Amino acid sequence: QKEVEQDPGPLSVPEGAIVSLNCTYSNSAFQYFMWYRQYSRKGPELLMYTYSSGNKEDGRFTAQVDKSSKYISLFIRDSQPSDSATYLCAMRVNTGGFKTIFGAGTRLFVKA
Amino acid sequence: DADVTQTPRNRITKTGKRIMLECSQTKGHDRMYWYRQDPGLGLRLIYYSFDVKDINKGEISDGYSVSRQAQAKFSLSLESAIPNQTALYFCATSAGLAFDNEQFFGPGTRLTVL
C-alpha cells in the first residue's frame, strides 16, 4: 500500500467551476501537508502548505487537512484555464526526518 | 525556473551506456535532491545531499550514483542505463531551515533508454 494515494484523473471541468482535489494517506506521523502545481514540461512548484489539521486559504485556493480521516483536499474556486496543470499532494513528518512523500498527481483540465 | 537548471533537457541513449545528468542552482541552498517521475507513481527520491560532504540514498537508489561537486552542483549518474530507467528526472533544492517545506525544482530531464 502506498503511503499517499491520489487519483490521477484526468479531471475536466468548465471554467468557473469549483474544483476539489484529494489525497489520502496512511502514516499518522505526517504533520506537514503540501500542494504542488506542475505545468506541462515544467518542474513542480509549491502552491500551499499547512501544518497539522485545519484550513488555509490563499486567494482562490483553500487547503484542508483532516488528520482524523487521514485525508487532505485542495479546493480551487472560480477555476480558470490557467489552472490546467497536474496537482501533486505531498507530506512529511515534523521532526527526525525531512523526507517528503509525493502523491502521483491529478491532471486537471479547465475548459474555457 | 532559472534558479535551478538541469542539463540536458532531453536525452536518448542505449542500454548499457553511462549517462550523467547535471544540476546547478543559484539559490544558495544547501540541500539538493534527485527525483524521478513516472506516470502513476509520482515523484520518488533517488538521492539527496544536505551539504557538499553529505550524500544519502533515497528510496530508489539502485542503479544510480551521485556527486556533489560544490554547493551549487549535484550530478546524477546512471552507470549502465537500462530501459526501466526511462523517466522524467528532476533536481530540487531547499533551504534547510527548521520548517523546510518548500523544494524548488528544476525543469526536468526527459531520459529515454532504448
Side-chain angles (χ1 to χ4, degrees):
Chain A
Q1 180 190 9
K2 293 180 183 177
E3 280 189 279
V4 178
E5 298 277 1
Q6 184 176 11
D7 186 337
L11 179 62
S12 184
V13 301
E15 183 175 358
I18 296 174
V19 175
S20 173
L21 304 168
N22 311 293
C23 289
T24 59
Y25 62 95
S26 58
N27 187 349
S28 59
F30 286 139
Q31 291 276 38
Y32 286 99
F33 302 91
M34 292 151 277
W35 287 95
Y36 281 79
R37 178 175 59 195
Q38 184 178 14
Y39 289 115
S40 181
R41 302 185 184 280
K42 300 284 187 181
E45 56 180 352
L46 183 68
L47 193 59
M48 297 181 70
Y49 80 87
T50 54
Y51 173 70
S52 194
S53 288
N55 293 357
K56 185 174 184 178
E57 189 172 320
D58 184 1
R60 296 185 295 110
F61 298 88
T62 299
Q64 199 170 75
V65 175
D66 182 349
K67 292 195 73 181
S68 62
S69 302
K70 297 189 179 70
Y71 188 88
I72 70 169
S73 300
L74 177 71
F75 297 97
I76 307 174
R77 290 183 300 279
D78 187 25
S79 56
Q80 303 295 309
S82 58
D83 295 327
S84 298
T86 297
Y87 291 81
L88 300 95
C89 64
M91 45 200 81
R92 72 173 183 88
V93 299
N94 185 23
T95 58
F98 76 99
K99 183 181 173 185
T100 302
I101 306 296
F102 287 85
T106 300
R107 288 195 72 188
L108 171 67
F109 295 97
V110 181
K111 299 173 291 184
Chain B
D1 189 339
D3 294 328
V4 183
T5 57
Q6 293 183 236
T7 55
R9 293 294 312 277
N10 292 281
R11 183 71 184 268
I12 299 174
T13 191
K14 295 182 178 180
T15 297
K17 294 290 188 181
R18 186 178 187 274
I19 295 296
M20 179 180 285
L21 309 182
E22 298 188 346
C23 176
S24 294
Q25 53 114 346
T26 58
K27 300 192 78 66
H29 290 167
D30 289 324
R31 298 184 176 188
M32 298 188 73
Y33 313 80
W34 275 104
Y35 290 90
R36 64 178 280 176
Q37 186 176 39
D38 299 274
L41 295 178
L43 287 161
R44 292 182 293 165
L45 185 64
I46 306 172
Y47 270 95
Y48 63 99
S49 169
F50 281 4
D51 64 42
V52 175
K53 297 179 181 178
D54 176 74
I55 301 288
N56 303 281
K57 293 183 178 180
E59 62 180 298
I60 54 163
S61 59
D62 287 349
Y64 301 95
S65 63
V66 291
S67 173
R68 184 82 183 264
Q69 301 97 323
Q71 187 207 31
K73 296 184 181 295
F74 193 34
S75 300
L76 176 71
S77 293
L78 288 67
E79 298 300 325
S80 180
I82 56 177
N84 76 359
Q85 290 177 315
T86 293
L88 193 52
Y89 289 85
F90 287 101
C91 173
T93 74
S94 66
L97 300 175
F99 296 101
D100 180 25
N101 294 309
E102 184 166 11
Q103 296 187 20
F104 295 84
F105 287 82
T109 294
R110 185 169 296 279
L111 177 66
T112 303
V113 183
L114 302 176

